[in-house]
Amino acid sequence: MDAQILHQLGKVELHCHLDGSLSLPVIRRLAAQANVSLPADDAALQAKVCAPPDAQSLMDYLRPFDVIRPLLQTAPALRLAAHDVVAQAAAENVRYIEVRFAPEFSMDGELSALEAIEAVIAGLAAASAEFGVQANALVCGMRQSPAPVTQAIFAAAAPLVGRGVGGGDFAGNEAAFPPATVAASLQFAQSLGLPMTFHAGECHCAANIADALAAGVRRIGHATAIGQDPALIQRFVAAGAVAELCLTSNLQTKAANNLAEFPFKALRAAGAKITINTDNRTVSNTTLAREYELFGQLFGVTYADLLAFNQTAAAAAFIPPEQREALSRRLAAEYAPYVDRH
Ligand SMILES: [Zn+2]
């Protein structure tokens, strides 16, 4: 596949974290506003906000997020951050993106959950209007947090579904806080009608994917460990579940110690629904076009495959059916000249 064509083709991204995807210039602006000093040198800043090359686990990978957290404590900061992520997506021809964030991480100061969510929605909406990209927020509960905190955040988000909020998610320390520890809050979110995705299988724990499926979740963030369990792959396919794959991130967090542990081939062979995502554009130092290129180089993925993955993403997007169909038609038209090429 050709890098220029990959850049220009329309894309759908379902799994992109706000705080892990800020551009360096916007990180500098946010730091100035927050009176936080950063290295003047871009290479030094990049080293601070990218995954450490010697990361041994998800917890190592998450360290750059500590640099960003103090910068996202006001409504203008969140608006700017949300705008920045959509601007980057627009620059590589993403047509629809779901940007996820944890309101709790922006509540160290004076912001309420609702104010944090509204600020992100406002930033997404401004960038949508400016760049012609459709964008929704996904609101993350942190699995290590007390249930009342998480449930208050979901309660604030639920009335905004269809008005800038697409749905919810659980993120954070999966190894120490498996799905059972957040079952009540997941059920609470579902009872509010919040469409849910769920990080699972990022810590060599296939059982967490099974538990998320059993809880009724049909979009799984990462799903990396599913490759260890062929029977679970069959259940995943039978459930019609969608995998939000994040290759570069998985190799950095050691969710997959090597390519053989990354479940793409097994999922594809089983006919599973697959989507390709960046996870964190800045922390993982990647773009969606770059991820597509890697799938081409490493797994022989073709333009026709990419169209199929994008159609899967469009069909799984947390938007009304008529918007999914419009997105699907647009993608089909954009890929049509390339689907017979390699
Ligand atoms: Zn993620």
Side-chain angles (χ1 to χ4, degrees):
M1 295 189 294
D2 177 82
Q4 180 55 38
I5 295 172
L6 289 177
H7 170 80
Q8 137 210 341
L9 282 169
K11 304 170 189 72
V12 176
E13 177 156 38
L14 299 182
H15 194 127
C16 179
H17 291 263
L18 177 75
D19 50 355
S21 300
L22 301 178
S23 65
L24 295 193
V26 163
I27 291 173
R28 290 200 182 282
R29 276 174 69 188
L30 291 169
Q33 289 167 7
N35 287 320
V36 169
S37 62
L38 292 175
D41 176 55
D42 266 357
L45 177 58
Q46 179 123 20
K48 233 175 145 60
V49 297
C50 289
D54 57 346
Q56 292 305 313
S57 70
L58 178 60
M59 298 322 286
D60 284 348
Y61 176 87
L62 293 178
R63 250 176 238 136
F65 293 88
D66 295 340
V67 177
I68 301 301
R69 179 168 174 159
L71 312 186
L72 295 179
Q73 298 301 326
T74 68
L78 284 169
R79 274 202 299 274
L80 175 59
H83 181 278
D84 179 44
V85 176
V86 176
Q88 292 172 65
E92 62 163 346
N93 298 303
V94 170
R95 307 302 181 208
Y96 174 74
I97 185 167
E98 291 177 356
V99 179
R100 59 186 75 194
F101 80 110
E104 189 186 335
F105 287 168
S106 291
M107 294 166 66
D108 297 339
E110 290 175 358
L111 283 184
S112 68
L114 181 60
E115 287 165 342
I117 295 166
E118 285 179 334
V120 168
I121 291 175
L124 297 178
S128 286
E130 190 175 339
F131 302 112
V133 180
Q134 196 180 357
N136 273 316
L138 302 184
V139 173
C140 301
M142 298 311 296
R143 36 200 352 142
Q144 60 270 28
S145 297
V149 171
T150 303
Q151 292 181 14
I153 287 166
F154 287 146
L160 295 169
V161 169
R163 292 191 289 138
V165 169
D169 173 36
F170 277 90
N173 186 347
E174 183 189 351
F177 298 89
T181 59
V182 297
S185 294
L186 173 58
Q187 231 170 40
F188 177 77
Q190 290 166 324
S191 76
L192 297 175
L194 203 58
M196 291 300 290
T197 178
F198 197 95
H199 281 74
E202 204 180 355
C203 59
H204 303 274
C205 35
N208 290 350
I209 301 167
D211 287 352
L213 290 177
V217 177
R218 290 295 175 266
R219 268 178 50 181
I220 303 292
H222 296 285
T224 319
I226 201 166
Q228 303 160 7
D229 189 339
L232 180 57
I233 293 180
Q234 293 310 320
R235 274 154 61 201
F236 189 89
V237 173
V242 173
E244 301 167 358
L245 298 182
C246 308
L247 173 60
T248 297
S249 167
N250 280 182
L251 293 171
Q252 291 168 329
T253 62
K254 306 285 192 287
N257 286 304
N258 48 55
L259 277 183
E261 285 187 10
F262 188 71
F264 171 74
K265 283 184 177 170
L267 286 170
R268 179 153 77 165
K273 293 181 180 173
I274 289 166
T275 67
I276 298 176
N277 306 273
T278 61
D279 202 20
N280 295 289
R281 288 164 178 268
T282 305
V283 175
S284 283
N285 194 20
T286 194
T287 62
L288 204 44
R290 173 68 186 143
E291 295 297 305
Y292 289 4
E293 196 177 2
L294 283 173
F295 274 79
Q297 289 166 358
L298 300 170
F299 304 118
V301 156
T302 64
Y303 295 115
D305 293 323
L306 292 179
L307 173 59
F309 303 152
N310 274 289
Q311 293 290 24
T312 295
F318 292 150
I319 50 178
E322 63 276 10
Q323 292 180 20
R324 291 177 185 162
E325 286 154 21
L327 190 55
S328 167
R329 282 194 298 274
R330 184 172 184 184
L331 291 165
E334 290 194 62
Y335 281 77
Y338 304 104
V339 287
D340 295 328
R341 289 169 57 176
H342 288 267

